[in-house]
Amino acid sequence: MNDLFIFFYSYREAIFIIALSVFLGIEVISNVPSVLHTPLMSGANAISGVIIIGGIILVGNTDVTRFSLELVLGILAVFFGTLNVVGGFAVTDRMLEMFKKKK
Amino acid sequence: MDQTLQTLSGVSFTTGDAILEFSYLLSAIFFVVGLKLLSHPRTARKGNFYAAAAMVLAMITTLFLHRNPAGETIGWMSMLIIIITIVMGSVVGLIISKRVKMTAMPELVSFFNATGGAASALVGLLEFGNPENESLLVTLLGLIIGSIAFSGSLIAYGKLAGKIGNINAQLMKWVNILVLAALVGATVYVLLQPMPQEYAWLVYLLFAASVIYGIMFVLPIGGADMPVVISLLNSLTGIAAAMAGFIYNNLAMILGGIFVGAAGSILTVLMTKAMNRSLLNVIIGGFGAKAGAAAGEEGGSIKEMSMSDAAVLLSYSKSVVVVPGYGLAVAQAQHTIHELEKVLQEKGVQVRYGIHPVAGRMPGHMNVLLAEADVSYEKLVEMDEINKDMPNTDVVIVVGANDVVNPAANETPGSPIYGMPVINATQAKNVIVMKRGMGKGYAGIENPLFYKDNTRMLFGNAKDTLAKLTNEINSL
């Protein structure tokens, strides 16, 4: 039980952010026309590539002077994260571009 | 940049730290603003751009200003490796995103989601062994959720690309529950150890088990439920990223991840509602198994129609509504339907599209496809709007759609899709159904619409049928 209290107290700011972000996420999405569901899902998917920051930090903290499994996996994490971010935003833009073409 | 600015509750911080955190604040704000703008047709593109810019900002400031626990910034060697990796990832990502066809969009979203999940899983895997990491619970959660999102998205990708069929064994349900229980058990066991870091082997096992669970979780789910699954896995990736954010106490990651997780969950719920399915049902049970029994014998007979009759009927109508479905996407007939629309328009016929929320392979996918074919945005009418006009509609053309126009959803209480909102094509004066054959829809049930007196069938590939019909109308 004490562990839980310690966990909550140490991370109280993050937990506040989480609680409020949940409401924010729900609010923002609730009134979306179904036309935009696919681009929205794709855009949200790109934002979830924010894990790339974690990848950068991970490799940044790893010793790169010697070859290790950790380094290889870390670089893979950065690569995958980049794919998610760049591919995600690019594809969302491609979808939305078509909505603009009105004659 | 790196001189100590002040010491706050025993922790000293530098100008660089302050700038880094401020850039995270900006990024977080622009993620929210971006997604908000994305939810309006007019501002959507700008919103996507904002979110992308926010991500680039956070990446750059992290690269230059992040300090490891020893207080050092990222060395030039590491920086070079990271930048090269990012450039390679960007090139690959751009090539993939430009080359893929619009009809393959859902698979692509699923694929990119898999890469995000994989990144989260790797971060969790590596950080667990880090002795300075004090948040092992969230590390494990991030690892498990990320791995499930990774393998699940890959399976969803395979299913949508037609590479993996439906495997629906009753046994799998129990295997799923067993693997899930093992996952929870192992997690608790690891965390209860006095020195959890020493259990690296068990964590690799957890990783493997999560990957297996992701596969087993998506395999039995039918193609019709794939949109829900992708949306769900999408929100899981967000949550996994947020868990990793906990490890580094990185507020941009936590906010971005949870925000997307919540948005994705709500989108998932909206989709399940549109399909009259409960999320639990999608996750645990297969659809097809029971469906066959509930389908009743329908009276009436199937009536085919000649191309010229269809052409005459359409030319002399006032109001025509096209209901496109998955078959239109498969046949790549979005351009052909637009041709037909233009020809009819020239003859003074009002043509609109009735879009069911889950038509196509993903909610809104049909809109994207039709937009690609230059169909104007105003002509795409949502289900509730178009249903009001149904009794005044002369002809409904159903192209490659089945379950979304099935009147059994309104009329037959025993039907598995009973209660699902559908486009009420039956209320129109005439219905023309274009289908490849008498195959059943995703739900695997009979569609009484095909047997109604005012329904006529045009069998064949949607694209060929539409092209012939357009020619026929032109030659009238």
Side-chain angles (χ1 to χ4, degrees):
Chain A
M1 195 63 190
N2 270 345
D3 285 346
L4 277 181
F5 283 134
I6 294 169
F7 179 83
F8 173 75
Y9 192 79
S10 328
Y11 290 104
R12 60 192 186 284
E13 284 156 355
I15 291 168
F16 268 85
I17 291 177
I18 287 183
L20 294 177
S21 310
V22 169
F23 283 107
L24 207 58
I26 294 172
E27 264 320 295
V28 165
I29 298 299
S30 295
N31 287 316
V32 179
S34 64
V35 217
L36 284 172
H37 276 179
T38 296
L40 194 72
M41 196 199 277
S42 178
N45 175 39
I47 296 178
S48 70
V50 72
I51 184 68
I52 179 73
I53 307 293
I56 295 175
I57 295 175
L58 185 70
V59 176
N61 291 351
T62 311
D63 179 11
V64 292
T65 50
R66 58 183 188 85
F67 183 85
S68 64
L69 180 67
E70 279 78 15
L71 182 61
V72 175
L73 293 182
I75 290 175
L76 261 182
V78 174
F79 180 75
F80 284 142
T82 313
L83 261 187
N84 191 187
V85 169
V86 176
F89 282 122
V91 103
T92 313
D93 190 62
R94 212 181 127 197
M95 284 185 216
L96 293 170
E97 194 182 23
M98 291 174 320
F99 283 103
K100 282 200 117 182
K101 271 195 290 175
K102 263 183 251 171
K103 285 183 182 167
Chain B
M1 240 5 148
D2 48 3
Q3 88 275 22
T4 303
L5 207 59
Q6 206 182 351
T7 304
L8 201 68
S9 0
V11 185
S12 59
F13 62 93
T14 64
T15 319
D17 293 339
I19 295 176
L20 181 61
E21 291 301 324
F22 184 70
S23 76
Y24 285 161
L25 174 66
L26 279 183
S27 295
I29 290 173
F30 276 95
F31 283 154
V32 177
V33 172
L35 210 59
K36 179 75 198 164
L37 292 178
L38 250 172
S39 55
H40 294 285
R42 223 170 275 159
T43 54
R45 214 172 164 201
K46 200 167 41 170
N48 187 51
F49 179 75
Y50 283 0
M55 191 69 79
V56 172
L57 174 72
M59 283 165 74
I60 292 174
T61 52
T62 306
L63 198 53
F64 289 102
L65 297 172
H66 168 74
R67 295 192 304 143
N68 64 16
E72 300 148 344
T73 47
I74 299 177
W76 67 271
M77 253 298 260
S78 315
M79 208 176 273
L80 198 68
I81 292 178
I82 294 171
I83 291 175
I84 292 173
T85 313
I86 290 178
V87 169
M88 279 174 13
S90 307
V91 170
V92 175
L94 282 176
I95 291 177
I96 296 176
S97 61
K98 297 290 171 209
R99 286 214 176 143
V100 168
K101 280 189 200 135
M102 271 301 142
T103 38
M105 228 29 40
E107 299 75 308
L108 195 62
V109 174
S110 197
F111 172 76
F112 284 136
N113 193 46
T115 62
S120 297
L122 287 172
V123 170
L125 202 57
L126 294 175
E127 282 300 334
F128 189 82
N130 181 357
E132 273 147 14
N133 179 6
E134 284 165 0
S135 14
L136 292 179
L137 170 66
V138 282
T139 312
L140 283 184
L141 282 178
L143 167 67
I144 294 172
I145 297 171
S147 312
I148 293 174
F150 161 64
S151 59
S153 300
L154 275 189
I155 296 295
Y157 165 78
K159 283 199 160 205
L160 286 169
K163 288 174 185 149
I164 300 171
N166 283 351
I167 300 164
N168 195 353
Q170 213 44 34
L171 189 70
M172 286 182 84
K173 193 195 284 184
W174 298 107
V175 177
N176 273 354
I177 293 172
L178 215 68
V179 176
L180 196 63
L183 273 178
V184 175
T187 309
V188 172
Y189 176 77
V190 173
L191 290 175
L192 288 179
Q193 302 308 312
M195 290 298 289
Q197 271 99 344
E198 286 169 8
Y199 287 79
W201 59 274
L202 200 64
V203 173
Y204 279 92
L205 208 71
L206 258 180
F207 170 61
S210 313
V211 168
I212 293 172
Y213 181 73
I215 296 172
M216 301 292 278
F217 162 61
V218 181
L219 264 186
I221 300 176
D225 288 331
M226 261 325 114
V228 179
V229 173
I230 296 177
S231 181
L232 185 71
L233 293 173
N234 191 9
S235 71
L236 283 186
T237 318
I239 294 167
M243 292 298 140
F246 254 110
I247 305 175
Y248 305 115
N249 214 350
N250 185 307
L251 298 181
M253 285 171 77
I254 297 179
L255 186 133
I258 291 294
F259 178 58
V260 166
S265 313
I266 264 307
L267 202 55
T268 312
V269 171
L270 287 179
M271 281 183 220
T272 45
K273 265 190 195 150
M275 301 198 298
N276 190 38
R277 307 266 279 119
S278 80
L279 194 54
L280 197 70
N281 214 328
V282 171
I283 295 170
I284 295 181
F287 199 99
K290 262 191 313 185
E297 287 296 308
E298 291 298 330
S301 58
I302 297 276
K303 294 166 287 289
E304 281 197 59
M305 184 183 214
S306 76
M307 219 36 101
S308 50
D309 285 350
V312 171
L313 176 65
L314 286 169
S315 304
Y316 292 100
S317 301
K318 267 200 204 107
S319 161
V320 170
V321 171
V322 177
V323 181
Y326 177 70
L328 179 105
V330 172
Q332 304 260 343
Q334 64 270 36
H335 293 278
T336 332
I337 191 87
H338 184 49
E339 287 303 312
L340 177 70
E341 172 211 319
K342 280 195 284 188
V343 170
L344 286 175
Q345 206 86 33
E346 279 162 23
K347 295 200 179 262
V349 185
Q350 184 204 33
V351 184
R352 286 173 301 167
Y353 296 82
I355 311 286
H356 191 275
V358 293
R361 313 173 77 188
M362 226 155 98
H365 186 216
M366 202 46 76
N367 306 69
V368 173
L369 286 179
L370 292 172
E372 189 200 14
D374 282 332
V375 173
S376 78
Y377 177 62
E378 289 77 20
K379 288 192 180 298
L380 308 178
V381 187
E382 289 193 26
M383 177 177 64
D384 292 341
E385 288 301 307
I386 208 76
N387 271 346
K388 283 183 214 153
D389 288 351
M390 268 308 160
N392 303 320
T393 302
D394 296 314
V395 186
V396 168
I397 310 177
V398 179
V399 188
N402 191 343
D403 298 333
V404 297
V405 288
N406 193 338
N410 296 328
E411 295 162 1
T412 320
S415 171
I417 61 165
Y418 182 70
M420 173 173 113
V422 289
I423 293 183
N424 297 326
T426 27
Q427 292 175 4
K429 289 173 194 130
N430 297 283
V431 181
I432 298 177
V433 178
M434 296 185 183
K435 260 172 90 39
R436 261 193 311 191
M438 268 319 290
K440 296 180 175 101
Y442 268 139
I445 50 173
E446 286 292 347
N447 191 338
L449 174 71
F450 303 157
Y451 301 89
K452 299 264 174 183
D453 288 336
N454 56 351
T455 304
R456 297 285 181 279
M457 312 294 284
L458 278 175
F459 286 117
N461 172 287
K463 196 172 179 175
D464 300 341
T465 313
L466 283 168
K468 277 183 210 154
L469 188 58
T470 311
N471 282 337
E472 198 72 37
I473 294 172
N474 264 331
S475 62
L476 277 179

